[in-house]
Amino acid sequence: MKKFITLVTMLLCMSFLLSAQNVVLEQKPSKDTIEAKWGQNMKNFIHFYIRWDFMVGKNDVGANYKPGSSNFDFGMRYKLKLCKYDAIGMDFNFLSTSNYKLKQDNLSVMINQGDTGNFKKESLTFTSLGLEFFNRINYGRRGNAIGKFIDIGAFGNFSYYISHYIKDNGNSPTYGFYEMYERELKYTNRLNYGVSARLGFGRWVIDAHYRLSDLFKNGGGLTDLPELPKLQVGLEVGLF
Amino acid sequence: MQNKNKLLLYFFILLFSFQFFPKTAISQNHYWVFFKNKKGTGFNPYEYFDPKAIERRIVNGVSLFDSTDFPLNADYANTVANIADSTGYQSRWLNAMFISGNDLQIGLIRSLPFVKEIISIEPVIAVTCFTDEPGHNEGTGTDLTSEQLSSMQGEIFAERGLTGKGVRIAVFDAGFPEVDKHPAFRHLWENHRIIKTYDFIRKKENVYGHNFHGRMVLSCITGLFNGRKLGLATDAEFLLARTEYAHIEPYSEEVNWLSAMEWADKNGAQIISSSLGYYFNRYFVNQMDGKTSLVSRAARMAAKKGMLVITAMGNEGNGNWKYLITPADADSVLSVGGINPSTNIHISFSSFGPTADKRLKPNVCAFGTATVASSDSLQVASGTSFSTPLVAGFTACVLQKNPGFTCMQLLHEIEKSGNLYPYFDYAHGYGVPQAGKIVNKDNKPISPTFEMITRGDSFHIMIDKKWLSKDSTGYLYYHIENKKGYLDKYAVLSVEKEDVLDIPLNDLKHGETLRIHYKGFTKEYNLTKNK
């Protein structure tokens, strides 16, 4: 029986080898030339992007912020072309980090629910996941390229990690310098939302985000904290 | 708002603006303005054209008083110039002028009764068919150097003294550094065979600088280094035009290309070798129809004037674009694909045909990797940029042998000389041009190298034993052509045994044609008859 199985296997292998056609190039243009559905100016397009925005909006009294307060985003964008001039899309932000560097001037009321400017450095960092929906108006002639566009959208962020950082002035006779990270902040909102606008030239985009929600919780026994700036403007680069 | 943050933001936006706006927002104001007619204009062709251009026109039966050669109506041009911000090149062929202006000015110009059409010129950043690698110096690259010519049977031309003598070739590229002193071009400058040069970007005559690509390309047409030929047309004459920047393509390149085309026409070019093209930033694959792009229209116009434009298929074969780039899509240009010197079949990066309207492209192919002139010696470089000049050199030799050929006769002669002819596909066209087919026109019937047997439910292709391959050139090509005349499928098989191909009968539809090629012998089967 074993011999029979071996023989059959050998014959099968030989017949396969004998009939094998060694194809070094094969093209089926009739199938290839079906209109492509994925591409920069096709029906669907997906790409990654990175974005760096600066906080530039007006803050409340007591929440002055330093230059360098910024937001960094890394995410993926899906665009669905509706017609030559219009598209809709969705951004998924894998990583969105907003860092507010707070000025320690006489008006600062951020820390400890009301203490004023006693520290050398103070910052608040929100690390979030985000979702954004937008409508895109394209203009100008273009081939299969992103081209020039204006986006108007709305976004929502969920902050899964929020921290408050302080570094003191080194005046304490007990501790000298000390740095402190505070997490699980009771006075911040995890969910934020707002509107956005973009002006794009291919992969290069000028971006603006305006937050409509408050960063800090009010009432419930908490001191009302002054709001940090709601507008951020910056540059985005599409990775494609 | 914090002032310092504002300043930081403004700084970045300014930086951004300087970096990108000049290529985008500002250039929205560049246009071609087409006029309806050339009323009241005329010219003296004997003053305007080089004698070689007149000779070419006579051979091609082109009138010396063709209105497309007349200058633009000066009144029209002046009226437009008075409205526009600035004006540039005036194209006689297109009866159009290049202008810059804002929307208001364009509106005014559009309302002029003699203006036919206004087309905006978009700025783009795109890579053409350059090989971006400077390449490594591989000494003389002896085997490849000889094979890139022997693959076209170049030695047959050499034996008969066919070296492109008397043929004038225009080469458009991104610069020709060291061409005026590199030993591979000594025969050109010592014998004054570079007739004219012009840099359309700087508006100067000196083209001997900038990007090395032109030097490499030119060497594949005419290079001669230490007695070894790199290209076949070592005795041809040249017009060298710099039309391209190296790695970006601002709007002006298309204008430069058109300007250079008219300049080449005026100065008597018979062949134009252009290893450049435009694709995704400006166009879609379905616009590669030979009619849409401006350069494609200009290339067709060149053919009407009797110049054969030889252009690269592009290096997009294994990219998302995959297909040919324009102007390789124009019907009257000779589009050249690339083959791999190691395998002698399609090289992976070479763009595929057909055109969007299903015409055959490439027309022919040649080595996609070649020995070219480096800054002081030789190097190896890849791209259909180099297949194109290899064929341009070949074409010059054909034209030397047949000086009475019209542009289209020349094109068809090159196609017929392909090693696969009459077989074709969208990767190789008619194959690599063969000098033997140009020189020896004995029309002897080629003995069959295979036979087809219908066995059961399949077609079997059986190779004749004596033709079984002992080398790497043993490929069997087959395609299935549908009723509409274009290919639904094509393939290349490596032949290692007699029973090389089975095609189930059910795979073939009524009215389709199966065409098979092996070692010079092509046979076709109309499936209606055979079923």
Side-chain angles (χ1 to χ4, degrees), chain B residues 173-182 185 206-216 218 240 242 373-376:
Chain B
D173 222 294
F176 301 88
E178 294 97 24
V179 166
D180 53 343
K181 47 184 181 270
H182 194 294
F185 305 106
N206 185 2
V207 294
Y208 302 118
H210 310 288
N211 193 271
F212 53 84
H213 187 260
R215 177 191 67 228
M216 292 169 149
L218 184 64
L240 306 181
R242 179 176 176 244
S374 66
S375 57
D376 55 359

Side-chain angles (χ1 to χ4, degrees), chain B residues 11 29 129 135 156 158 184 245 270 283 291 326 474 492 495 513:
Chain B
F11 170 75
N29 297 328
C129 44
I156 295 178
Y245 291 92
Q270 293 158 289
Y283 305 108
K291 297 167 197 146
T326 188
V492 183
V495 174
T513 302

Side-chain angles (χ1 to χ4, degrees), chain B residues 79-236:
Chain B
T79 309
V80 170
N82 287 336
I83 299 171
D85 271 345
S86 63
T87 60
Y89 184 70
Q90 296 186 3
S91 168
R92 294 179 179 220
W93 288 7
L94 300 179
N95 194 19
M97 67 188 288
F98 174 76
I99 66 155
S100 301
N102 59 35
D103 289 350
L104 185 68
Q105 292 163 323
I106 293 307
L108 283 172
I109 293 169
R110 203 184 296 279
S111 67
L112 294 170
F114 52 82
V115 170
K116 182 181 170 192
E117 188 184 9
I118 297 178
I119 295 178
S120 74
I121 301 169
E122 293 294 310
V124 291
I125 302 170
V127 183
T128 57
C129 44
F130 291 130
T131 176
D132 281 334
E133 294 171 28
H136 51 287
N137 195 321
E138 295 200 346
T140 53
T142 309
D143 290 344
L144 185 61
T145 313
S146 56
E147 283 170 16
Q148 68 195 36
L149 302 184
S150 66
S151 65
M152 299 188 288
Q153 300 179 326
E155 64 283 357
I156 295 178
F157 278 156
E159 283 162 12
R160 285 163 175 77
L162 296 173
T163 51
K165 191 167 188 172
V167 176
R168 193 166 290 183
I169 305 172
V171 184
F172 301 169
D173 222 294
F176 301 88
E178 294 97 24
V179 166
D180 53 343
K181 47 184 181 270
H182 194 294
F185 305 106
R186 184 189 307 274
H187 58 294
L188 295 187
W189 31 271
E190 280 188 352
N191 297 301
H192 308 288
R193 286 209 294 270
I194 297 176
I195 306 299
K196 274 196 175 172
T197 59
Y198 198 72
D199 181 339
F200 285 86
I201 295 165
R202 297 189 165 214
K203 316 292 180 209
K204 289 178 180 173
E205 287 200 354
N206 185 2
V207 294
Y208 302 118
H210 310 288
N211 193 271
F212 53 84
H213 187 260
R215 177 191 67 228
M216 292 169 149
V217 164
L218 184 64
S219 69
C220 288
I221 306 176
T222 189
L224 189 59
F225 190 78
N226 290 341
R228 296 185 70 88
K229 283 185 173 189
L230 307 179
L232 292 171
T234 46
D235 286 330

